Amino acid sequence: APHRRHTRSPLSSCGLRKMMEVEEKETKASLMQQKLEDIKALEESNLDKAIKSYKELIATEDPEREIINEKTTAIYALGELYAQRGRYEDLRNFIVDTRPFFSTIAKAKTAKILKELLNIFAQIPNTEKLQAEFCKETITWCEKEGRSFLKQRVQARLASLLLDMKQYKDALALINKLVRDVKKIDDKILLVEISIVESRIHLALKNNPKAKGSLTAARSAANAIYCPPSLQAEIDIQSGVLCSEEGDFKTAYSYFFEGFEGFDTSKNWVKAKQCLKYMLMVKIMTNNSADVYNIINTKGSSDKYAGIEIQAIKAIADAHKARSIHQFADVKKKYSEVLTKDWFISTHLNALEDNLLVQNLLRLIEPFSRVEIEHVAKLIDLPREQVEAKLSEMILEKKLHGILDQGSGNLILFEEASEDKTFKAGLDTIKELGNVVDKLQAKAQRVLLA
């Protein structure tokens, strides 16, 4: 038999080359991952060296774009490092210095990285003004680079910051312009985010109808697309807040529960904890203190959510269960920093305290037809001026039937007059008779004309 010569096909040679290239890329990526782990270990022992190493890794030349994911991880890690230590100026400068890297990657990837860096920046407390200034600088940079997609997202963040800074007029003007621009390009995800911010602004301005309208727009846009769990949770938490404003605490609880589940699934522990606090607060508002303890034991006991904020809500539940004004005042004083920084908790806490004071006053003055204001103040153990002002308010709101005699310093109470329904029934009867007579007259006229 003739000897057959075996030749290597060009295809197998090409395949081998590709395999070698893949292996080389994997090797380079694995080396960078190892380097990231080594730098992470340095953070506690030698912070300056860790920061320098992160910057060197990010600045590594990568013409083939083989280590973009590792560079992105390094960017997030260094951002977190600055945020944890409160070095906001360094973080701001670092984000600006990272802009050359953004020009080497896709615009959508840039938007994602910058959004995450802004979220990291937001972890540093009391930096809203600095964040707003940085957002304005970034918007200017986006305009120069022609990055309209990124610009609109940064504008949405700026509107949210202006809201937090209580610059409602500027926030509303920016959001109205942004809504028009985004509707033109039909970016549903961004439209949902913007509509939620718009709803929050209107709610802060006490314009509940417009707040509900903006939230409805957010829901409509969300129904037309796949809505990420975290964004759906944002809609749920805003829905719960609006229901609470209308006094529908049961529906509000269900929304907050859905929001909690959404944020917990997305591993957004900060937002999930906020929903948990709101769940507990609305349970207290509906006089379900027992449920508060059950929720704390089942969901609030986790290390992710346990802390001083949950302890503060539990202390409020204890004071409300005991119907004690003084215990309530002690809780507000002890946890003042925690309770006042969240407007939702603060607003409903004041309403709860006011309601508790009214109930205590009504219970104390129930046996009397005439009583000295000074005596009522001693019974409830509060300043006379505060008690007198509250009694006056209760009379004006018709929660109490009586008058304040300023001359003698007495509260004179009247028996609550039962409503006499005779007059209303008589007026209704006369009205119906009038309608019958009118119909008979019209019928008689038609007969005469015929």
Side-chain angles (χ1 to χ4, degrees):
H3 177 69
R4 291 187 180 180
R5 191 172 176 182
H6 293 283
T7 58
R8 182 177 292 175
S9 68
L11 182 63
S12 61
S13 176
C14 180
L16 184 62
R17 195 182 305 114
K18 283 184 177 180
M19 284 177 63
M20 289 176 66
E21 286 175 2
V22 169
E23 285 177 3
E24 188 180 344
K25 284 182 180 180
E26 287 177 352
T27 305
K28 194 171 182 181
S30 61
L31 285 171
M32 284 298 172
Q33 286 171 4
Q34 183 60 49
K35 192 172 182 181
L36 279 169
E37 290 174 10
D38 294 341
I39 298 169
K40 188 75 178 173
L42 273 174
E43 287 181 8
E44 295 299 327
S45 58
N46 194 336
L47 180 63
D48 292 336
K49 188 175 179 181
I51 291 170
K52 186 180 178 183
S53 299
Y54 275 131
K55 288 182 176 179
E56 286 174 355
L57 194 152
I58 295 163
T60 303
E61 290 187 11
D62 182 30
E64 300 297 324
R65 300 181 182 180
E66 297 170 351
I67 54 169
I68 286 176
N69 290 337
E70 287 70 24
K71 284 188 173 187
T72 304
T73 305
I75 288 169
Y76 292 156
L78 184 51
E80 289 279 2
L81 196 62
Y82 282 138
Q84 287 166 7
R85 285 155 178 77
R87 294 169 62 169
Y88 49 83
E89 283 292 344
D90 289 333
L91 176 56
R92 177 192 165 280
N93 293 334
F94 164 63
I95 298 172
V96 172
D97 294 340
T98 313
R99 285 175 184 170
F101 170 67
F102 294 152
S103 62
T104 65
I105 60 176
K107 290 184 177 181
K109 180 86 171 174
T110 300
K112 184 180 177 182
I113 295 172
L114 193 58
K115 183 180 179 181
E116 185 60 32
L117 287 171
L118 288 171
N119 289 338
I120 292 169
F121 205 153
Q123 293 174 13
I124 308 174
N126 305 317
T127 57
E128 288 82 4
K129 190 175 180 182
L130 287 167
Q131 289 178 59
E133 289 173 359
F134 175 71
C135 283
K136 289 173 183 176
E137 291 172 9
T138 307
I139 289 166
T140 305
W141 175 74
C142 290
E143 287 172 348
K144 288 180 181 177
E145 296 287 320
R147 295 173 180 261
S148 57
F149 178 80
L150 179 58
K151 174 190 167 186
Q152 287 167 345
R153 272 154 179 74
V154 178
Q155 283 178 322
R157 174 56 65 91
L158 177 59
S160 183
L161 287 166
L162 291 172
L163 169 63
D164 294 339
M165 292 162 64
K166 298 184 179 180
Q167 296 181 18
Y168 304 125
K169 187 178 178 182
D170 294 338
L172 195 57
L174 177 59
I175 214 77
N176 287 337
K177 182 180 181 300
L178 195 53
V179 166
R180 290 194 298 270
D181 293 342
V182 173
K183 279 182 177 177
K184 290 176 185 176
I185 60 171
D186 200 31
D187 186 341
K188 297 290 186 185
I189 289 283
L190 185 56
L191 190 60
V192 172
E193 294 176 5
I194 293 166
S195 297
I196 293 168
V197 175
E198 186 180 24
S199 179
R200 289 172 56 208
I201 294 169
H202 286 306
L203 182 61
L205 293 169
K206 304 298 180 186
N207 192 339
N208 286 12
K210 283 195 173 183
K212 289 172 75 175
S214 299
L215 190 60
T216 302
R219 282 204 192 98
S220 299
N223 289 335
I225 52 164
Y226 166 72
C227 191
S230 57
L231 191 56
Q232 183 60 51
E234 289 283 0
I235 295 173
D236 289 331
I237 193 173
Q238 183 64 11
S239 301
V241 169
L242 284 171
C243 286
S244 300
E245 287 294 303
E246 295 174 347
D248 187 359
F249 295 112
K250 287 186 178 180
T251 307
Y253 176 82
S254 64
Y255 277 123
F256 290 141
F257 182 82
E258 291 294 330
F260 172 80
E261 293 292 328
F263 286 126
D264 189 64
T265 304
S266 307
K267 297 183 179 180
N268 188 338
W269 315 129
V270 176
K271 280 285 188 178
K273 191 172 186 178
Q274 183 185 1
C275 285
L276 181 59
K277 288 191 298 179
Y278 290 1
M279 285 162 61
L280 297 172
M281 197 68 204
V282 295
K283 280 294 182 184
I284 296 170
M285 295 299 291
T286 51
N287 299 318
N288 290 317
S289 296
D291 290 346
V292 171
Y293 305 126
N294 291 335
I295 294 167
I296 290 173
N297 291 332
T298 55
K299 298 189 182 296
S301 57
S302 169
D303 292 337
K304 300 189 294 278
Y305 306 122
I308 191 169
E309 293 174 327
I310 302 300
Q311 289 174 15
I313 303 293
K314 185 178 181 295
I316 292 168
D318 293 337
H320 185 258
K321 188 178 180 181
R323 302 287 177 188
S324 172
I325 289 289
H326 300 291
Q327 191 175 339
F328 224 96
D330 291 341
V331 170
K332 283 184 73 176
K333 187 177 180 181
K334 183 179 179 181
Y335 298 102
S336 60
E337 188 177 344
V338 175
L339 296 173
T340 54
K341 71 179 182 181
D342 190 314
W343 73 269
F344 180 86
I345 299 291
S346 179
T347 301
H348 287 87
L349 185 61
N350 291 335
L352 204 62
E353 186 179 22
D354 185 72
N355 189 40
L356 194 57
L357 178 56
V358 168
Q359 288 176 4
N360 275 271
L361 285 171
L362 289 172
R363 180 173 54 82
L364 288 171
I365 63 178
E366 188 179 2
F368 302 101
S369 59
R370 185 185 185 102
V371 61
E372 290 183 355
I373 298 170
E374 190 69 41
H375 181 63
V376 177
K378 284 179 182 176
L379 287 174
I380 202 168
D381 194 19
L382 288 173
R384 184 184 185 280
E385 294 76 14
Q386 183 183 348
V387 172
E388 187 174 352
K390 192 64 198 174
L391 289 170
S392 176
E393 185 183 314
M394 289 166 66
I395 291 168
L396 290 170
E397 292 177 355
K398 296 185 179 179
K399 292 178 182 176
L400 184 64
H401 295 278
I403 58 169
L404 290 173
D405 187 342
Q406 297 286 350
S408 60
N410 290 338
L411 169 67
I412 303 168
L413 297 164
F414 305 135
E415 289 186 12
E416 191 172 347
S418 57
E419 186 182 354
D420 190 347
K421 297 181 180 179
T422 308
F423 298 109
K424 187 178 183 301
L427 287 170
D428 290 341
T429 304
I430 292 168
K431 184 180 178 182
E432 290 299 325
L433 283 171
N435 291 336
V436 171
V437 170
D438 291 340
K439 287 178 181 178
L440 287 171
Q441 184 182 5
K443 189 173 181 181
Q445 285 177 347
R446 283 199 299 273
V447 171
L448 288 171
L449 289 169

